[in-house]
Amino acid sequence: MVHRAEGARFERVLIMAMATCLAACAGSSAVAPSPASSRASEPSLSPASPTLVVSPAAATGWQSITGLPPMLGASLQDVTVDGSTFVAVGAGSYRGPGLVLTSTDGSTWRPEASSAALASAPLQTVVAGPSGLVAIGNDCSGNGECVNDAESFRSSGDSAWQAGSLISAEGAQGVTHALWTGSLFVAVGRDDNPTPFAGAIWTSVDAVSWTMLPGGSTFADSLISGVAMTKAGLVAVGSTPNGDRGIIWTSHDGRTWTRQADQADFANADMF
């Protein structure tokens, strides 16, 4: 399986994404972190060994962030901005529980109280939607392979996390990243049922009812690791299952995707 390698890759994504968030948010009053956030009332963390690396403005002057909670064997996978608060998610171990940390400045982080809904759900990604936060993880409640069904979880304001709905129910499918376009949730990942594996994309207008897009040759022999918005539409990136070639897909609406032609630069590239 590929999930352990994905965890290592997404730890690097967290660093990159946090730097991007901080750079993009500098000077913007719409998302500038401030102590007014409703999520800022959690108790402060005690010093610990895990660290993050962030830059307060442009991608220069990097600083190592200490003071995170003890998380031996844990990983942080994704970060987003919810109003005036940074929200990072991950997992305490391969099989959970899901972890949620918040910060108003990117430097001091606080763990949210444990939620029963996340007890066996290692979280892979988090999105700020119109009705609150949506986190997506794998259902690890059984005794078998952890990548069984992808499941969404929701939280609004300072409310506890609640189980949302299954994104996939066919087994051996997982979500690696997701975003909100302003009108549509788009989640990307993999379907391990075909041989070789295939990339997979799900969409939803409310983060409750999800639709898996038809695969075919567009997503064959691939794993989709990340997705981002541009002025021209969406771009998803990934690689072949054995990592010998990077792959790029584009879409104007999140529902219809085009696999871009291979290029020499994509050889031995692992895009995420």
Side-chain angles (χ1 to χ4, degrees):
M1 303 304 290
V2 299
H3 31 265
R4 291 185 183 275
E6 286 175 353
R9 291 201 299 270
F10 270 85
E11 288 177 15
R12 299 194 298 273
V13 171
L14 174 61
I15 295 172
M16 297 169 62
M18 184 172 294
T20 302
C21 282
L22 288 168
C25 294
S28 172
S29 59
V31 294
S34 71
S37 169
S38 61
R39 292 181 174 269
S41 60
E42 299 292 339
S44 182
L45 302 182
S46 57
S49 55
T51 60
L52 295 175
V53 180
V54 300
S55 175
T60 58
W62 292 92
Q63 302 173 18
S64 178
I65 304 303
T66 59
L68 294 179
M71 295 189 296
L72 182 63
S75 63
L76 297 177
Q77 306 285 20
D78 198 12
V79 64
T80 192
V81 175
D82 179 27
S84 59
T85 304
F86 294 107
V87 181
V89 301
S93 71
Y94 167 51
R95 303 188 71 90
L99 298 178
V100 180
L101 285 77
T102 61
S103 173
T104 58
D105 59 8
S107 296
T108 303
W109 290 83
R110 299 172 174 85
E112 289 202 347
S114 299
S115 170
L118 304 180
S120 58
L123 298 177
Q124 297 292 327
T125 186
V126 61
V127 181
S131 300
L133 291 168
V134 176
I136 300 175
N138 296 322
D139 178 9
C140 296
S141 58
N143 296 321
E145 176 56 50
C146 191
V147 183
N148 292 317
D149 298 316
E151 185 175 3
S152 67
F153 304 86
R154 297 193 292 175
S155 175
S156 179
D158 57 358
S159 65
W161 286 88
Q162 302 292 329
S165 60
L166 286 176
I167 295 177
S168 65
E170 299 180 11
Q173 295 175 337
V175 169
T176 53
H177 194 222
L179 57 73
W180 167 250
T181 68
S183 60
L184 189 72
F185 288 98
V186 178
V188 303
R190 65 188 182 278
D191 182 358
D192 294 355
N193 290 303
T195 302
F197 302 155
I201 295 181
W202 296 263
T203 61
S204 175
V205 297
D206 56 9
V208 175
S209 178
W210 294 84
T211 299
M212 184 176 178
L213 301 183
S217 59
T218 302
F219 303 129
D221 191 22
S222 71
L223 304 171
I224 307 178
S225 300
V227 61
M229 282 197 303
T230 72
K231 292 182 179 179
L234 302 178
V235 177
V237 298
S239 64
T240 55
N242 60 11
D244 66 352
R245 186 175 72 257
I247 306 172
I248 294 177
W249 298 262
T250 57
S251 172
H252 68 282
D253 62 0
R255 292 185 172 93
T256 302
W257 290 82
T258 299
R259 184 168 180 158
Q260 299 301 308
D262 288 341
Q263 299 180 23
D265 292 341
F266 294 174
N268 299 315
D270 193 3
M271 301 180 183
F272 53 91

